[in-house]
Amino acid sequence: MSVCIQTSTDLAGKKILLGITGGIAAYKCAELVRLLKKSGADVLVGMTDAATRFVTPLTFQALSGHPVAVDAWNPDQGNGMHHIDLTRTADLMVVAPASADFLAKIAQGRADDLLSTLVLARDCPLAVAPAMNRQMWSNPATQRNVAQLRADGISIWGPASGAQACGETGEGRMQEACELLEQIIAALTPKVLAGQRMVMTVGPTFEPLDPVRGITNRSSGQMGYAMARAFGQAGAEVTLVSGPVNLATPLGVRRIDVESAAEMRQAVMREIGNATVFVGVAAVADYRPVNVAEHKLKKTESESAQRGRTIELTTNPDILAEVAALPAAPFCVGFAAESQHLDEYAEAKRRRKKLPLMIGNLVADGLGTTDNQVTLYDDAGRHPLPLLHKADLAKRLVEELAKRLNAAA
Ligand code: C5P
């Protein structure tokens, strides 16, 4: 599933130079430019002559708000140093789609049109998103060129596998606009969590009563997924142990799906050995039914049944407390969602579970909503953060976590 997660500040203040070469995947770039703009970036577009046969420069001019650079010989362009000027202010150059011919050209350092000249003259990082027929991609010549580009420090994004415009199926599809957006954001995010291996629990749990019914809660998983995305973009290796949610897995994040608290615990204990950080964002059910019926429970007509039915519950394991008590425990972060007395309850939980960091919020401020206002609790006291979109809050939590991990190192 490809669902774009983005905020208007993801690329605020960043300038992206997007190069488009001649391939049918060029149509996906219209969406990419829109997404980049919505994320706060300034986008400059350069096209090869072949690319303009697929989508007109006017489309990208309208979407980017800037004239599109196509012709290396345009006398209207200032000092005639367009190939230098365009790259000097860019934070990143991305060529998408990158045709087999263009990859071959830049692997050799050729500069016979404006776009290849920009590649050669740039002083910013470059990423390419190849798009071509599967045979062209697997051809040894293309693979040789790609290996050369990698060796030159150029990032290769994709290609993906699947149905191709030519009717064949295989590797060679350009990554979707959402994925490219995620790659661009990740490429421009400082790697303050590099080297960290994180295990996170996220979402609700579902405690079955019978094959169709169960006990669950209103956690949407949004906060946990936003954090996984931000942690991954900041360079951490992230494994999500996720309860049932309807959310896309962030790019580069490993996801293990579970339902009940018992399954969640089992998955966490299997993964935790190597982790440097554990973040318990999941709203784990405190109790589960003692008996899980093999078949769907039927409504009975007996007199006693009419008075109702009693479900006997037993306590679930406290996953976070168990991880924090491990002999070589990772840095443990807990979440406390309370409906009242936040400071008192969150700090009491932090002490009881022996955590270096607890993140607390009032349920009215965060559960199932897109914004959240949290307070951090650690040995130094309480630190309230402003009300933020969950994606922006996740970025702020990256900084807060990195600061504490550095101090603990
Ligand atoms: O004790 P309480 O459920 O309020 O604590 C919340 C924190 O503990 C959250 O970080 C949650 O993920 C974690 N937790 C857990 N296992 C449980 C209950 C809560 O890991 N059974």
Side-chain angles (χ1 to χ4, degrees):
M1 184 173 42
S2 179
V3 177
C4 286
I5 324 164
Q6 63 174 159
T7 71
S8 57
T9 57
D10 273 334
L11 292 171
K14 301 292 183 196
K15 194 176 266 190
I16 312 294
L17 178 55
L18 175 64
I20 304 174
T21 74
I24 181 57
Y27 81 91
K28 295 184 185 177
C29 291
E31 176 70 1
L32 177 60
V33 174
R34 259 185 59 76
L35 292 170
L36 289 168
K37 294 282 289 179
K38 273 172 74 182
S39 299
D42 190 13
V43 187
L44 294 171
V45 178
M47 299 174 80
T48 61
D49 189 45
T52 65
R53 313 284 174 106
F54 289 93
V55 186
T56 68
L58 191 62
T59 304
F60 295 108
Q61 181 173 334
L63 292 169
S64 69
H66 296 293
V68 172
V70 181
D71 186 359
W73 308 108
N74 185 350
D76 298 338
Q77 250 132 24
N79 59 5
M81 293 291 157
H82 209 40
H83 61 292
I84 308 284
D85 299 345
L86 275 174
T87 64
R88 285 301 173 262
T89 53
D91 295 287
L92 177 69
M93 181 174 183
V94 179
V95 178
S99 65
D101 176 61
F102 195 77
L103 295 178
K105 198 191 286 196
I106 62 173
Q108 284 186 19
R110 297 169 71 91
D112 59 2
D113 63 4
L114 181 60
L115 207 56
S116 51
T117 310
L118 285 171
V119 167
L120 208 58
R122 79 186 193 284
D123 63 356
C124 63
L126 170 67
V128 296
M132 65 200 71
N133 168 271
R134 63 187 175 90
Q135 292 290 6
M136 292 173 80
W137 172 250
S138 60
N139 189 295
T142 303
Q143 290 303 311
R144 204 166 49 236
N145 292 332
V146 168
Q148 181 60 56
L149 293 174
R150 275 209 182 90
D152 292 348
I154 294 165
S155 304
I156 315 289
W157 292 345
S161 276
Q164 301 204 289
C166 55
E168 296 181 7
T169 302
E171 211 177 355
R173 276 170 65 99
M174 189 173 86
Q175 287 193 330
E176 298 302 325
C178 275
E179 288 172 296
L180 292 177
L181 173 74
E182 289 294 290
Q183 302 262 34
I184 290 168
I185 296 170
L188 293 171
T189 304
K191 301 290 174 254
V192 293
L193 293 178
Q196 300 294 342
R197 293 176 302 276
M198 311 183 71
V199 174
M200 303 176 65
T201 61
V202 288
T205 62
F206 181 89
E207 309 298 329
L209 269 166
D210 70 14
V212 287
R213 305 184 185 93
I215 300 172
T216 186
N217 59 63
R218 288 186 196 277
S219 167
S220 64
Q222 280 184 72
M223 190 64 232
Y225 273 67
M227 287 172 67
R229 173 179 182 251
F231 291 159
Q233 284 170 350
E237 210 179 279
V238 182
T239 299
L240 275 183
V241 180
S242 176
V245 295
N246 190 17
L247 295 170
T249 311
L251 200 73
V253 165
R254 189 170 150 243
R255 168 170 168 176
I256 301 169
D257 284 314
V258 296
E259 284 209 328
S260 64
E263 286 172 12
M264 188 172 269
R265 177 192 168 276
Q266 209 177 26
V268 167
M269 291 308 161
R270 209 173 47 229
E271 297 295 326
I272 205 69
N274 203 22
T276 55
V277 181
F278 176 70
V279 188
V281 200
V284 186
D286 291 323
Y287 302 98
R288 67 177 182 278
V290 173
N291 299 308
V292 182
E294 191 185 342
H295 296 289
K296 187 179 171 191
L297 293 167
K298 304 305 287 178
K299 198 170 13 178
T300 53
E301 299 302 328
S302 76
E303 206 179 302
S304 63
Q306 277 174 21
R307 270 186 269 128
R309 190 191 277 271
T310 302
I311 301 169
E312 195 186 341
L313 300 174
T314 184
T315 310
N316 266 332
D318 188 318
I319 305 168
L320 180 56
E322 198 174 328
V323 172
L326 288 171
F331 187 94
C332 285
V333 183
F335 271 75
E338 305 292 345
S339 60
Q340 59 175 347
H341 308 306
L342 178 62
D343 286 345
E344 186 191 328
Y345 290 168
E347 181 58 14
K349 273 181 192 174
R350 186 180 83 84
R351 290 184 182 278
R352 190 171 69 245
K353 299 189 194 221
K354 300 194 173 60
L355 310 176
L357 179 62
M358 184 62 123
I359 302 170
N361 71 284
L362 287 167
V363 282
D365 291 337
L367 205 69
T369 60
T370 48
D371 291 349
N372 199 359
Q373 197 275 310
V374 304
T375 301
L376 309 191
Y377 302 87
D378 61 13
D379 285 342
R382 70 185 283 279
H383 318 275
L385 300 186
L387 178 70
L388 292 166
H389 186 284
K390 282 180 179 174
D392 289 326
L393 174 59
K395 278 183 237 166
R396 178 70 190 268
L397 292 176
V398 165
E399 287 167 34
E400 297 287 343
L401 183 61
K403 204 162 65 183
R404 286 167 176 81
L405 289 170
N406 287 339

